[in-house]
Amino acid sequence: MTGFIDVERIESLLAEGRRADRQTVEDVIERAAEKEGLTPTETAVLLGCEDTELWEEIYALARKIKEDIYGRRIVLFAPLYVSNLCQNDCLYCAFRRSNEECARIALGPEEVAREVRALESVGHKRLLMVYGEHPAYGVDYMVQTIRAAYETRTPDRHGEIRRINVNAAPLSVEDYRRLKEAEIGTFQVFQETYHPGRYREVHPPNTRKGDFEWRLYALHRAQEAGLDDVAVGALFGLYDWRFEVMGLLMHALDMERVFGVGPHTISFPRLEPAINTPFTGYSRWKTSDEEFKRLVAVLRLMVPYTGLILTARERPELRREYIRLGVSQIDGGTRIDIGGYGKGPATVETEKEKQQFEIFDNRSLDEVVLELAKTGYVPSFCTACYRSARTGETFMEFAKHGDIKNMCLPNAILTFKEYLEDFASPATRLVGTKLIEELLRGTENGPRSALEKKIGRIERGERDVYC
Ligand code: SAM
Ligand code: SF4
């Protein structure tokens, strides 16, 4: 037993789950339809299911829950890789210290500003700033680069970053307080694998990251420091995907027990090839597309109110499918070669030696937005909750009362309208305008007229209008 991860218990729940009969699986599906989430025993029953017919039922329910809770909106963000200097030696990552083919860069405030201007000028409002772990680039550097990003504006396009989330190594309570002062949104730490034995195999013990428990409680410390939006994740492909889903659930349950609220989002990156990183080719736990589809659906049933983030690691056609199954946030127009955004459009060859792994969705933000709108999804750049103090427990209460759909959809429409006014290509503007008109027609009179008034304000040049 390591902290809240009890390997034996998880393994025995999974073994029991595999033995569950059809009726038991049906019962769990029925329970999941209540949208109250699942217990570890129930989750293990779904994970153990091998009946493809029952999986079709699980997928159908995941799609329904997604639609009921989140409506047809998808939050968009851009990752911004700031530094790839790293003291760790994670077997799967191109930034590991022993990788001599990685070109090391740490952007300075000016270079961050250049990246941010490039992102703002295509329409991004939400960033995820990503850092390696290095003593010379610790919390002071993070605060400095976060400030530089918030301060950068592109006035001619109404460009501004309204929310910065961070993905970085675990910090101390004191360091998290500094990030809270810098007004970050969510802090993400992925456990990579929840299996302590496997964790030791892929993270050499003589490294900072080799300490499983320091990482396991990283987000507990963040909450102690007052950062109440925290995000968990696992890197799928390091160990059995079913075990990792159970680990994510144990993590969420322990946070609920201690702080009264679970994680704001869950990420489930899949292991991708990376330069001079042979491990990514031979890991025996690589997750297939079918297994990945199953895990997305189970996550949606297991924690219905927790946001699910899917990145450009996945191919566009798979992203389409996973969005319908439960994903609520994606990135768009992504470049992960450090300094890549400032160099120009994504058609420019990426510099692989500067990036952590390969991505498989290289479309521009406008292409992603257009496709979402064509399929009836409202791309959302909304950041209203954080600025209205709807975070942590307050957000969860709000979510459980069905307000994600009632308030987030109008806010999504308003930020989409801003995008259409300031950044969209003619094709996107046409499709987007029709979609907004259609959504307004489907809205009841009172809320519709309030929304129309706000849309009018945006048309007259006002920005950052939200409910
Ligand atoms: N250095 C910090 C850390 O390790 O916590 C920041 C995170 S790292 C830059 C972002 C995440 O990328 C890691 O937590 C890991 O899950 C993921 N990652 C690393 N190598 C990967 C690969 N080859 N394919 C896909 N994702 C990978
Ligand atoms: Fe460093 Fe993070 Fe990569 Fe590990 S995953 S080598 S800690 S950047």
Side-chain angles (χ1 to χ4, degrees):
M1 176 119 178
T2 317
F4 52 82
I5 294 298
D6 183 340
V7 175
E8 270 176 38
R9 175 161 179 252
I10 294 179
E11 280 170 354
S12 91
L13 285 170
L14 286 170
E16 250 172 70
R18 278 194 296 275
R19 288 192 295 270
D21 58 18
R22 192 183 169 93
Q23 187 55 49
T24 310
V25 180
E26 296 273 13
D27 291 346
V28 172
I29 297 176
E30 212 176 298
R31 255 271 303 142
E34 293 166 16
K35 291 183 271 192
E36 285 172 6
L38 297 177
T39 64
T41 309
E42 291 165 339
T43 303
V45 166
L46 296 189
L47 293 171
C49 174
E50 280 306 340
D51 181 325
T52 48
E53 246 176 60
L54 287 171
W55 273 106
E56 288 310 317
E57 282 183 38
I58 296 170
Y59 296 145
L61 180 60
R63 288 186 201 108
K64 181 175 181 304
I65 291 181
K66 161 81 198 291
E67 179 87 28
D68 286 355
I69 297 179
Y70 298 85
R72 297 188 73 81
R73 85 184 218 299
I74 290 285
V75 173
L76 284 167
F77 71 96
L80 172 56
Y81 276 71
V82 192
S83 150
N84 64 7
L85 280 94
C86 194
Q87 63 181 339
N88 295 314
D89 218 11
C90 314
L91 259 52
Y92 46 82
C93 175
F95 294 169
R96 70 192 184 285
R97 70 175 181 216
S98 60
N99 186 5
E100 287 173 2
E101 287 184 32
C102 176
R104 305 289 163 176
I105 311 172
L107 300 180
E110 271 308 307
E111 292 156 314
V112 167
R114 190 178 77 145
E115 293 290 280
V116 171
R117 277 193 293 274
L119 287 161
E120 287 175 349
S121 61
V122 295
H124 278 295
K125 299 283 187 282
R126 303 168 61 109
L127 292 188
L128 170 68
M129 292 179 69
V130 186
Y131 299 84
E133 179 171 21
H134 194 278
Y137 298 94
V139 76
D140 289 338
Y141 174 72
M142 289 183 201
V143 169
Q144 189 189 31
T145 45
I146 289 164
R147 292 227 165 95
Y150 269 135
E151 282 163 9
T152 303
R153 298 278 152 96
T154 351
D156 54 323
R157 312 287 302 268
H158 300 285
E160 61 173 345
I161 295 303
R162 297 178 184 156
R163 173 171 169 106
I164 294 175
N165 298 333
V166 173
N167 183 318
L171 300 175
S172 64
V173 174
E174 210 171 292
D175 285 349
Y176 283 126
R177 289 208 178 100
R178 303 263 326 271
L179 292 186
K180 186 172 165 65
E181 276 162 29
E183 298 188 8
I184 67 157
T186 310
F187 193 86
Q188 298 187 339
V189 175
F190 304 159
Q191 187 59 29
E192 319 297 12
T193 171
Y194 282 93
H195 190 280
R198 183 59 172 156
Y199 188 93
R200 276 194 295 277
E201 285 171 18
V202 294
H203 303 103
N206 58 343
T207 59
R208 188 81 184 93
K209 192 153 165 182
D211 186 341
F212 180 86
E213 278 193 70
W214 173 250
R215 199 167 180 91
L216 195 62
Y217 285 96
L219 298 171
H220 286 60
R221 290 193 298 281
Q223 304 225 48
E224 266 175 58
L227 281 173
D228 56 1
D229 272 354
V230 294
V232 300
L235 178 55
F236 283 84
L238 297 183
Y239 190 59
D240 180 4
W241 67 275
R242 297 177 178 87
F243 189 95
E244 306 298 13
V245 172
M246 296 295 283
L248 287 166
L249 178 59
M250 298 302 175
H251 203 161
L253 291 175
D254 199 66
M255 278 185 192
E256 264 172 38
R257 181 183 67 79
V258 181
F259 301 102
V261 60
H264 187 64
T265 55
I266 295 183
S267 296
F268 32 97
R270 204 157 36 152
L271 190 64
E272 302 296 354
I275 199 161
N276 193 29
T277 308
F279 175 86
T280 62
Y282 64 67
S283 171
R284 77 180 185 89
W285 296 105
K286 282 180 122 182
T287 316
S288 71
D289 290 350
E290 188 58 35
E291 289 167 337
F292 200 74
K293 184 173 170 185
R294 290 182 180 186
L295 79 88
V296 176
V298 173
L299 289 174
R300 188 63 301 148
L301 270 46
M302 179 177 100
V303 282
Y305 297 98
T306 305
L308 296 184
I309 303 182
L310 183 76
T311 68
R313 290 176 179 86
E314 301 299 332
R315 302 192 302 277
E317 64 277 19
L318 294 179
R319 296 237 273 182
R320 250 160 250 154
E321 184 169 12
Y322 304 145
I323 284 172
R324 288 186 61 217
L325 275 181
V327 167
S328 55
Q329 288 192 30
I330 61 168
D331 51 348
T334 298
R335 299 281 305 241
I336 61 167
D337 47 334
I338 299 191
Y341 293 113
K343 283 199 306 263
T347 45
V348 174
E349 180 65 6
T350 53
E351 294 181 81
K352 291 203 172 135
E353 68 286 359
K354 292 184 186 158
Q355 66 185 38
Q356 193 186 15
F357 47 81
E358 275 186 59
I359 56 170
F360 292 91
D361 185 347
N362 287 298
R363 292 172 299 167
S364 69
L365 177 62
D366 196 67
E367 286 170 311
V368 172
V369 167
L370 176 59
E371 183 189 292
L372 287 171
K374 273 186 178 164
T375 46
Y377 283 98
V378 185
S380 174
F381 298 87
C382 181
T383 54
C385 276
Y386 317 109
R387 285 167 313 139
S388 310
R390 287 191 296 267
T391 58
E393 205 172 345
T394 321
F395 174 80
M396 278 301 163
E397 280 308 307
F398 162 86
K400 289 179 182 168
H401 286 108
D403 290 332
I404 295 192
K405 210 171 168 179
N406 300 337
M407 193 178 280
C408 297
L409 186 61
N411 277 333
I413 292 176
L414 293 170
T415 55
F416 185 35
K417 176 69 182 170
E418 287 186 354
Y419 177 86
L420 296 178
E421 291 283 310
D422 297 331
F423 308 100
S425 63
T428 305
R429 191 164 301 144
L430 199 70
V431 175
T433 306
K434 272 198 191 141
L435 176 62
I436 293 182
E437 282 166 8
E438 202 181 294
L439 289 163
L440 284 172
R441 276 197 297 276
T443 309
E444 283 169 34
N445 283 348
R448 184 175 64 213
S449 105
L451 193 53
E452 278 168 345
K453 279 191 192 128
K454 289 197 169 78
I455 289 177
R457 281 162 57 192
I458 294 173
E459 282 168 351
R460 289 189 293 280
E462 209 180 314
R463 291 292 175 270
D464 207 8
V465 179
Y466 58 89
C467 307

